[in-house]
């Protein structure tokens, strides 16, 4: 007669074996020889008005030839997109330099997988055209709209710090772009820290002026971020590699066809051509690998938020970087 202890051990072995078998075979896109059938893969991509990733890939002719399916989700800014990536609802998306810091501070299941320079002129702290504010020092005591955890949040922090101010010296109003624009135009805030295309939209449509842009205050890097669940999947990782190569080519196409891109971007975003033309003229894409210099630069962003006590504790950015796609890019 088989003992109860032996029966329990056999049952446990069966459960473990079944679990292992499930994990090895659940990825239907992976063939028996280990290769990936990309036609069986669906990538869930995040997009936001400020990046226009879907429109960019489409304009460059990179979407129609993609060998996998793509499902798009739209977000108002980087932080809510990274929340979706952390939850596993989205696989990948592009954000500025601050959202990954806030996500890392929250121990989110995300990794930065590529970086690119996009210029600093589109980062702006804008004020109404008739505002008495004339320089960064005039921000003391003012109500300033900003999307919490966004690249504009870091720009505002840097401007304050380099002009002898802190967040304690202003009244931050944490608003998403649409609400912030309304607040600026109705006088409920004195200034708005924002990024393109909203900077250009405020300039062109409501006559706002840039009090201070990003030059000398922020580095030009933005990032593409993937979820850990996607990176743990062999098939989705293969699709992400193909996608990143397509984005790299699309960036090169935009640099060579700015007028065509401005027109396409206007059509896809619903923004006037005069707005997208300003945006495009301010951006020259420079893709690069996630080398030590790029990681150290992002660590400086993290340290600034930590020192200002805007995120809890210290954040080690290197723990939230995946360099497996570095071979796609030139060194920074």
């Amino acid at each position: 007669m088989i003992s109860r202890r032996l029966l329990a051990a056999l049952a446990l072995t069966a459960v473990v074996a079944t679990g292992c078998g499930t994990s090895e075979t659940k990825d239907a896109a992976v063939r028996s020889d280990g290769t990936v059938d990309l036609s069986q893969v669906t990538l869930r991509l995040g997009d936001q008005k400020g990046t226009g990733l879907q429109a960019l890939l489409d304009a460059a002719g990179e979407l129609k030839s993609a060998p996998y399916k793509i499902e798009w989700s739209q977000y108002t800014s980087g932080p809510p997109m990274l929340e979706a990536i952390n939850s596993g609802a989205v696989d990948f998306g592009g954000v500025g330099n601050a959202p990954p810091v806030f996500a890392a501070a929250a121990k989110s299941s995300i990794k930065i997988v590529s970086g690119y320079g996009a210029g600093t002129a589109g980062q702006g702290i804008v004020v109404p055209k008739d505002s008495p504010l004339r320089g960064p020092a005039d921000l003391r005591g003012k109500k300033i709209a900003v999307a919490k955890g966004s690249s504009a949040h870091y720009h505002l922090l840097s401007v304050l710090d380099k002009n002898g101010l802190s967040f304690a010296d202003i009244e931050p109003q944490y608003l998403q772009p649409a609400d912030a624009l309304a607040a600026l135009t109705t006088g409920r805030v004195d200034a708005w820290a924002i990024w393109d295309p909203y900077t250009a939209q405020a300039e062109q449509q409501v006559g706002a002026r840039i009090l201070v842009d990003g030059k000398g205050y922020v580095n030009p890097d933005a990032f593409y971020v993937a979820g850990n669940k996607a990176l743990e999947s062999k098939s989705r990782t293969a699709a992400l590699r193909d996608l990143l190569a397509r984005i790299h080519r699309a960036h090169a196409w935009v640099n060579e066809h700015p007028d065509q891109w401005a027109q396409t971007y206007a059509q896809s975003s619903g923004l006037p051509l005069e707005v997208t033309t300003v945006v495009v003229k301010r951006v020259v894409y420079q893709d690069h690998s996630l080398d030590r210099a790029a990681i150290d630069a992002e660590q400086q962003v993290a340290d600034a938020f930590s020192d200002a006590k805007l995120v809890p504790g210290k954040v080690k950015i290197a723990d939230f970087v995946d360099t497996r796609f570095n071979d796609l890019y030139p060194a920074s």
Side-chain angles (χ1 to χ4, degrees):
M1 181 179 293
I2 300 176
S3 69
R4 291 183 178 180
R5 181 175 296 179
L6 179 57
L7 284 172
L10 289 171
L12 178 60
T13 300
V15 169
V16 171
T18 301
C20 292
T22 300
S23 64
E24 290 173 356
T25 60
K26 67 180 179 181
D27 197 339
V30 179
R31 302 184 181 94
S32 58
D33 63 357
T35 60
V36 174
D37 180 1
L38 288 176
S39 69
Q40 299 301 309
V41 178
T42 298
L43 281 183
R44 298 163 299 171
L45 305 183
D47 199 8
Q48 54 176 317
K49 191 175 182 180
T51 60
L53 178 59
Q54 183 177 6
L56 183 148
L57 287 168
D58 192 29
E62 294 290 345
L63 276 185
K64 60 185 177 183
S65 61
Y68 35 81
K69 303 177 186 69
I70 298 177
E71 295 177 356
W72 292 96
S73 298
Q74 298 293 322
Y75 297 89
T76 56
S77 63
M81 184 193 298
L82 291 195
E83 289 176 9
I85 293 177
N86 172 58
S87 73
V90 173
D91 298 318
F92 174 96
V95 298
N97 56 11
V101 172
F102 280 75
K107 311 299 183 187
S108 296
S109 298
I110 60 100
K111 292 290 190 299
I112 297 170
V113 294
S114 76
Y116 63 95
T120 59
Q123 289 284 347
I125 298 178
V126 301
V127 296
K129 59 183 176 181
D130 57 354
S131 171
L133 279 60
R134 295 295 166 185
D138 295 333
L139 294 173
R140 184 186 297 272
K142 304 304 181 185
K143 292 182 178 179
I144 305 174
V146 64
K148 188 173 184 179
S150 67
S151 60
H153 199 178
Y154 176 64
H155 180 211
L156 176 58
L157 174 62
S158 181
V159 168
L160 293 173
D161 182 64
K162 291 188 177 183
N163 288 277
L165 301 173
S166 70
F167 265 76
D169 294 313
I170 65 168
E171 295 183 39
Q173 309 293 304
Y174 292 120
L175 300 171
Q176 289 297 316
D179 294 330
L181 178 59
L184 185 76
T185 56
T186 58
R188 289 187 287 118
V189 297
D190 302 295
W192 178 23
I194 192 57
W195 60 90
D196 265 339
Y198 302 106
T199 307
Q201 184 179 18
E203 289 179 282
Q204 298 295 314
Q205 295 185 327
V206 301
R209 57 182 170 82
I210 297 178
L211 184 75
V212 56
D213 65 17
K215 186 176 181 180
Y217 291 102
V218 296
N219 69 55
D221 273 357
F223 299 99
Y224 287 110
V225 176
N228 288 355
K229 290 180 181 178
L231 293 170
E232 290 164 2
S233 163
K234 182 174 182 177
S235 63
R236 279 186 283 172
T237 296
L240 287 175
R241 170 171 284 275
D242 177 87
L243 175 67
L244 286 167
R246 290 175 186 276
I247 293 172
H248 188 26
R249 294 194 297 268
H251 282 168
W253 179 88
V254 165
N255 290 341
E256 295 171 1
H257 303 85
D259 293 337
Q260 188 175 341
W261 168 230
Q263 292 178 358
T264 303
Y265 192 14
Q267 293 168 0
S268 65
S269 66
L271 291 168
L273 180 59
E274 59 266 25
V275 171
T276 59
T277 297
V278 170
V279 174
V280 170
K281 285 183 177 179
R282 289 202 278 231
V283 174
V284 176
Y285 289 105
Q286 294 180 313
D287 293 25
H288 60 75
S289 64
L290 295 172
D291 61 8
R292 176 50 55 190
I295 296 171
D296 287 348
E298 182 67 356
Q299 185 63 53
Q300 291 178 12
V301 177
D303 291 344
F305 278 112
S306 295
D307 293 345
K309 301 189 185 309
L310 294 172
V311 297
K314 290 289 185 179
V315 174
K316 186 179 179 182
I317 288 297
D319 292 342
F320 294 87
V321 171
D322 190 316
T323 61
R324 75 178 76 179
F325 306 107
N326 268 2
D327 59 293
L328 293 173
Y329 309 102
S332 59

